[in-house]
Amino acid sequence: PGRPATPNEPVAGPMMDARAKAAALSTERWRVAAARIGGRGEAELTDELKRNVVLQALSLVNNQIDPWCAVAIAQVLWDDVVLTALKLSINIGEEGATALGVALKVNTVLTTLDLGGNYIRAEGAAAIAEALRGNGVLTDLNLWANGIGDEGAKAIGEALAVNGVLTSLDVGF
């Protein structure tokens, strides 16, 4: 599913086991679309991410990641000095967005974050907004189709008033 991978971007599918996915982390870009990696795969993935020294872009679009995996990925972002792009569309929900918001406050490398279609609602948007107030590197943020409502939109808007680096924001739908 999804677009074809570039030469440095292995594609994983439902048949690829967690060890093969973890081995794929040795490349600079990794994309897993609609693979439904599951609990054990999530654990192995986050363990490998903790040891990451190469991976710059990670796409886990539509993998039905549970909130605990999103929290684990957020914890990885606290210390990661390499990962610059993270796509978690259609995955993490409100709890995951809140955890990512906390991590973004201290992360100094991630420039692109795609959280489209996660239904993070106002609470998740508020956590991301709080992170935007102090984050000096995130330039591209996708919050499309998240049901953030008026409260979430207001929080994001207020954060943008003090954030001087975000250049692309999608809050459509």
Side-chain angles (χ1 to χ4, degrees), residues 129-167:
E130 184 61 32
L132 288 176
R133 293 177 180 277
N135 182 292
V137 295
L138 192 68
T139 59
D140 186 11
L141 178 61
N142 179 359
L143 295 176
W144 174 84
N146 271 296
I148 66 173
D150 293 341
E151 271 186 53
K154 180 180 178 187
I156 295 290
E158 289 172 351
L160 292 177
V162 296
N163 178 291
V165 294
L166 193 71
T167 57

Side-chain angles (χ1 to χ4, degrees), residues 2 5 12 23-25 35 38 47-48 55 62 66 72 103 117 124 131 144 150-152 164 173:
L25 288 172
D47 286 346
E48 289 300 320
L55 187 68
N62 194 19
D66 63 37
W144 174 84
D150 293 341
E151 271 186 53
F173 190 88

Side-chain angles (χ1 to χ4, degrees), residues 7-153:
N8 284 336
E9 190 175 11
V11 177
M15 302 306 287
M16 187 176 195
D17 71 10
R19 285 194 181 109
K21 290 175 187 174
L25 288 172
S26 64
T27 64
E28 292 178 7
R29 299 177 60 83
W30 189 48
R31 180 175 66 92
V32 178
R36 295 176 182 89
I37 58 178
R40 182 173 174 182
E42 290 172 356
E44 290 188 25
L45 170 66
T46 54
D47 286 346
E48 289 300 320
L49 285 173
K50 289 175 187 173
R51 293 187 286 273
N52 175 39
V53 295
V54 178
L55 187 68
Q56 296 172 2
L58 175 61
S59 178
L60 296 172
V61 174
N62 194 19
N63 270 287
Q64 299 175 353
I65 292 171
D66 63 37
W68 297 276
C69 183
V71 169
I73 290 171
Q75 290 171 341
V76 168
L77 290 177
W78 276 77
D79 298 318
D80 193 290
V81 295
V82 183
L83 194 64
T84 60
L86 179 59
K87 294 183 179 187
L88 293 173
S89 295
I90 315 169
N91 273 307
I92 63 167
E94 189 174 351
E95 283 181 62
T98 301
L100 285 170
V102 172
L104 287 174
K105 289 180 183 179
V106 297
N107 181 278
T108 59
V109 180
L110 195 70
T111 59
T112 301
L113 180 60
D114 183 347
L115 297 178
N118 279 300
Y119 201 64
I120 66 170
R121 301 185 296 191
E123 186 176 321
I128 298 296
E130 184 61 32
L132 288 176
R133 293 177 180 277
N135 182 292
V137 295
L138 192 68
T139 59
D140 186 11
L141 178 61
N142 179 359
L143 295 176
W144 174 84
N146 271 296
I148 66 173
D150 293 341
E151 271 186 53

